[in-house]
Amino acid sequence: MSFDLPVPVLLAIMRLNKRGHEAYAVGGCVRDLLRGVPPNDYDICVSCTPQETHAVFAGERVIDTGIQHGTVTVLLGGMALEITTFRADGEYLDGRHPASVRFTRSLREDLRRRDFTVNTMAYHPVTGIVDLYEGEKDLKKRLIRCVGDPEQRLTEDALRILRAVRFASQLNFDIDGDTARTMHRLRDRLHLVSRERIAAELIRATAESGAVPALGEFPDVVFAALPDFPPLAWISGLKALSHLPAGDATLRMAALLHDCGEPALQNTLDSLKQSRAFREEVLTLCRQARQPFAPDETAVMLAMLGEVQLRRLVRLQQAAGVLDEKESAQRLARIRAALAADLPLSLRDLPVNGKDLTAMGLAGEKVGDTLHTIHQMVLRGRLPCDRAAIIAWLTRQKK
Ligand code: ATP
Ligand code: MG
């Protein structure tokens, strides 16, 4: 079996080999090449120390991304290659971090400390695939299975419980029975793991195409990861998710959470510790999920939420069964029409501004309030978006 590695990956491996170091493409990229899917990124594992890697790539840009874990990033031919020294993790004392990281010259040891069999394969452009832990066999069976004893591996790093769900969702694979049972049993250990790591895997698990069966098998794991999630909101969340295409992490998370209600919704989103933008967007979608807007309000909603969010909202409302297909198509058509009409979606786009109103004798809060009223009227089609018409209307108001 041979694969066309990207040229920079090939060059990096050859340069390392020439200096006497072992080097392989490893992990997710080998798994994806074997599946016939283009890898997201290419990780390289090497027998040499990070200092030796630096020496090999002297003259290139080399960044110490995770030097304590043995990872350096080399910028080569337009690619950022993560090159990591073979590792054998020391004992895990706290359920999330190895107490020590030991570099090793043994590929076997490095592959053994990886999470799931399908992620343990290495590939060398000349010698081919190294598959020491039945990765290819499980790949054929479409199975996520711990490397070694699930009890030990999921205890060492509880995040792997959630990573198993994420990979099942991403790859549309099943989880091996023994691994699955152990995940259920050890789920409470997720509280040992940082919120950021939990969120990254959970958001991804939700966004990927196999989310419904993968999450659906592990509600208890999700509740352990999101302690504020009300179990009563679970079924409707999964159902909404099942009606949406994969990919949009914000929309998919909103679908899962849309029935949580306050304050569970806010607490759950806070606990994910994501960017303000992500939090606000999901929150807005969930709060509006059960309130279909009137088609006549489309431009107002567009001004309030923006195009991307309003399209998401329509999709979410359809997925949640609040709008039927016809109603949702009608609203999407209205969105297109409102955009084509070039309406003033922000106050700044109006043909009058605060100065005009002040010149007409308005002062204080009245200025902002009146601008807002004008904006709403224009968006609802009750006032033309025309300076003379607006001034005439204002003059009539003053009388
Ligand atoms: P993707 O293509 O989605 O990025 P990936 O397999 O590359 O999938 P990463 O999370 O990027 O997934 O991890 C890279 C590799 O590092 C994995 O394939 C696995 O071998 C190893 N790995 C990552 N996290 C862990 C962990 N918590 N425990 C053990 N091995 C891990
Ligand atoms: Mg990866």
Side-chain angles (χ1 to χ4, degrees), residues 27-28 31-32 40 43 113-115 119 157 160 163 166-167 170 197 204:
R31 177 198 70 218
D32 290 344
N40 290 329
D43 294 323
R113 58 107 191 155
R114 293 173 184 269
D115 47 9
N119 289 343
D157 180 0
R160 291 173 189 153
R163 282 177 62 83
R166 188 260 279 191
F167 283 115
Q170 174 183 344
R197 292 176 82 209
R204 203 132 171 230

Side-chain angles (χ1 to χ4, degrees), residues 26-29 31-32 39-41 43 82 87 89 92 96 110-111 113-116 118-121 153 156-157 159-160 163 166-167 170-171 197 201 204 208:
V26 70
C29 65
R31 177 198 70 218
D32 290 344
N40 290 329
D41 48 26
D43 294 323
E82 288 211 338
R87 273 169 45 180
D89 293 344
Y92 283 73
R96 55 192 158 159
D110 181 82
L111 298 181
R113 58 107 191 155
R114 293 173 184 269
D115 47 9
F116 306 110
V118 294
N119 289 343
T120 60
M121 289 176 282
R153 303 311 311 283
E156 280 174 357
D157 180 0
L159 183 71
R160 291 173 189 153
R163 282 177 62 83
R166 188 260 279 191
F167 283 115
Q170 174 183 344
L171 306 171
R197 292 176 82 209
E201 298 297 344
R204 203 132 171 230
E208 299 280 359

